Structure formats: C-alpha cells, structure tokens
Amino acid sequence: MTGYATGQCNPHAAASDTHTPGASVLGLEIRAVNGRFLDLALRLPEDLRAAEPALRERVGARVRRGKVELRAWIEQRGDGGVRVPPAAELQRLLGAQEQVQAWLPQARGLSVAEVLQLAQRGAPAAADWVEPLLALTDRVLDDFAAAREREGTRLVAMLRDRVAQLRGLAAQAEPLVPQIVAQQRERFLQRFHDALGATPADPAALQERALAEAAAFAIRVDVAEELTRLQSHLSEIDRLLQRGGEVGKRLDFLIQELHREANTLGSKSASLELTRLSVDMKVLIEQMREQVQNLE
C-alpha cells in the first residue's frame, strides 16, 4: 500500500532558540509503494547510522507489507553551514571569559571566529541524535499509518464493489446450466429419432441411450459446485473486509481460489454466454488480486 509522511524537529535547541538560523534540524521522511512483502530501505547520514537497528525494529513493528524507504537527515541551518550558538551558550562563554579575565586582566576577549569554533565543539555528538530520531520516527509513523489507513478505506470500497459484481455474474450463470442441459437433451433425442428413421432399431433402446447421453452431458457441464464455492469465497472476503486488521495474506489466498473456480467454470462452459460470464469474472478477480497485494 502506498503512503507518505514527513516531519522535522530541533531537539538540541532551547525553547527560545528553536528558530535560530544556525540550529541543527533533524528531518525524517517515510514513503512506501505497493509490495507483497516488507522491503525496507534506510537512507541515513553517518551521524545517524547508529540508530539503524532500532529504526528497522520500529518500522517492522508498524508495517507488514510494501516497499518502504526511510530517509533521515541533519540540516545545518545558516550561511555556509555555520552553527550560530544560542543565547544561553553565548551567555556561558561570556561568563567563562569574565572569570578568566578576573584572574588574568591582560587576557584578550574571544573573537567571533573563536566563539564559533567553541560552539562547533559543543555541537551534538552522533549518539545524541539517536533518541530524538527515534521519537521523531514514532511521530512520523503515526502520520504514515493514518495516510495508509485512508488509502485502505478506498481499497476496501473498491473490493466490495467487485465482490458485488461477481455475485451478480454468478447469479446470471446459475439458470444457464439447466437451460443448456435441456437444449442438449432435445438435440440428443432429435438426433436419435433421425437415426431411427434412417436405420431400423429398437426405439426404446435408442431413447434410453439418448437420455443416458443427456445425463452424462449434464454431469459434465454442471457448475453448481463451482458457483457454490465461489459464493462461499465471496462471503469470506466480505467477512474479512468487515473485520479489518491484517487480512492481506488471507485475501490473497481467497483471490487465488476465486480464480480457480472461474477457470473451471470456463472450462465446463457449453455456451458462449457462460464463457463470457467466466471471462468477466476473471477480469474482476484480476483487478481484486492487484489491489489485495497492497493490503496488510
């Protein structure tokens, strides 16, 4: 199932310095396309590589199917990537400078370059990003799950529509078989009556043979069992869609069974109308199969 979500945070900035131009911003993006199994790819900078096992565990606990890409980054906001220290850090540097100058009056004050260099040394280490990244991942996964749930609602509506159409086709197929059998029985009887007129034979024996042929034909083209199983599979699909949860693999199996019944229906077909219904069923089932692979 497709899905997309993104988010950002500034975990190491003070509340009053959230929008400081030089603050480091942590960003995360999750996107997914359809897939039968979970295929997770992580795109992480070196500073966030330590979080990879925990990220895989978190995503795997929330996502079961799909080709998922998680991309995280650290954005250094400011000109040329220079980290501008927040006010609290500048205040600490000023306090340290005043203490030094109290003991060493001849010591010169810090230059701008030295302040920026000291601030760069105080930048968060790689390990300091792990917890903020995991917290941001949980938040983005919530948005990602909500997006996939909205798409899932649309997919369920489509599947229910296809189930209703398949029930309609099955209802059209049910009365066809008795009609076909009756027509074929008349053909057998007519054929043997014609043979009776051409060659002398026992009429009772010929009629009995015609009826036996008609009975064998009826057994050969009877699709009542296939239609019953098809209706049973459709009812189970309705039940699973109503229940919700992780139903993708069960639905995938039921779609295979629907396709099997539709194929058998086509192979037993003794009329163009029944063949057409079988083809229409397989078109609908294939549409369902493509979408069911997107559900978890």
Side-chain angles (χ1 to χ4, degrees):
M1 189 186 303
T2 59
Y4 177 82
T6 186
Q8 293 184 344
C9 69
N10 191 345
H12 300 118
S16 58
D17 297 316
T18 303
H19 301 291
T20 301
S24 297
V25 175
L26 179 64
L28 182 76
E29 176 186 74
I30 300 177
R31 62 176 70 219
V33 295
N34 303 331
R36 296 185 63 183
F37 307 100
L38 177 60
D39 180 10
L40 175 60
L42 301 182
R43 306 284 184 265
L44 304 175
E46 199 59 38
D47 286 343
L48 302 178
R49 190 68 62 186
E52 181 171 343
L55 287 174
R56 289 189 177 278
E57 182 179 352
R58 268 174 163 74
V59 175
R62 302 282 297 272
V63 183
R64 293 289 185 270
R65 306 177 84 179
K67 187 174 182 180
V68 181
E69 179 180 314
L70 183 149
R71 186 173 70 90
W73 66 91
I74 299 173
E75 180 182 348
Q76 195 76 24
R77 291 187 175 175
D79 296 334
V82 177
R83 177 178 179 268
V84 178
E89 191 170 344
L90 290 173
Q91 187 64 41
R92 286 194 298 270
L93 289 175
L94 178 60
Q97 175 179 275
E98 290 174 348
Q99 289 182 24
V100 171
Q101 289 177 336
W103 288 91
L104 301 171
Q106 302 302 319
R108 64 179 180 84
L110 293 169
S111 67
V112 173
E114 289 169 337
V115 170
L116 293 176
Q117 184 177 7
L118 290 171
Q120 186 65 30
R121 289 178 183 175
D128 297 333
W129 289 107
V130 173
E131 288 303 321
L133 176 60
L134 296 180
L136 179 60
T137 300
D138 288 337
R139 195 179 80 204
V140 174
L141 278 172
D142 288 339
D143 296 339
F144 179 76
R148 283 162 66 94
E149 184 176 354
R150 290 191 294 270
E151 184 185 357
T153 301
R154 293 191 292 270
L155 288 179
V156 167
M158 186 281 291
L159 291 173
R160 284 177 171 160
D161 175 71
R162 300 303 187 273
V163 167
Q165 292 187 53
L166 284 170
R167 289 191 188 280
L169 293 175
Q172 294 178 45
E174 285 179 0
L176 290 180
V177 174
Q179 295 175 13
I180 295 169
V181 171
Q183 292 172 4
Q184 191 64 27
R185 181 174 179 275
E186 292 300 321
R187 290 196 192 97
F188 281 133
L189 289 173
Q190 184 61 45
R191 188 179 306 166
F192 282 107
H193 282 308
D194 293 342
L196 182 61
T199 59
D202 183 2
L206 286 177
Q207 185 170 4
E208 183 179 349
R209 182 176 176 186
L211 293 175
E213 291 284 348
F217 175 81
I219 294 172
R220 191 167 62 251
V221 301
D222 184 18
V223 293
E225 185 178 349
E226 285 75 14
L227 292 175
T228 299
R229 285 198 297 263
L230 189 142
Q231 292 283 13
S232 176
H233 297 329
L234 293 176
S235 296
E236 180 65 10
I237 290 174
D238 273 334
R239 189 187 69 81
L240 290 175
L241 294 176
Q242 181 68 28
R243 188 189 73 182
E246 295 181 10
V247 298
K249 291 184 179 180
R250 288 183 61 83
L251 287 174
D252 200 12
F253 170 76
L254 288 170
I255 294 301
Q256 294 178 28
E257 294 302 303
L258 285 178
H259 198 271
R260 189 194 313 276
E261 304 305 337
N263 271 336
T264 305
L265 188 69
S267 65
K268 287 187 173 183
S269 174
S271 71
L272 291 177
E273 181 63 16
L274 200 56
T275 300
R276 182 191 65 79
L277 291 174
S278 172
V279 171
D280 290 346
M281 284 182 180
K282 286 190 278 190
V283 170
L284 293 173
I285 293 168
E286 181 63 22
Q287 293 173 358
M288 294 175 68
R289 186 191 65 79
E290 292 175 358
Q291 297 302 327
V292 159
Q293 291 182 1
N294 306 331
L295 294 175
E296 290 196 354

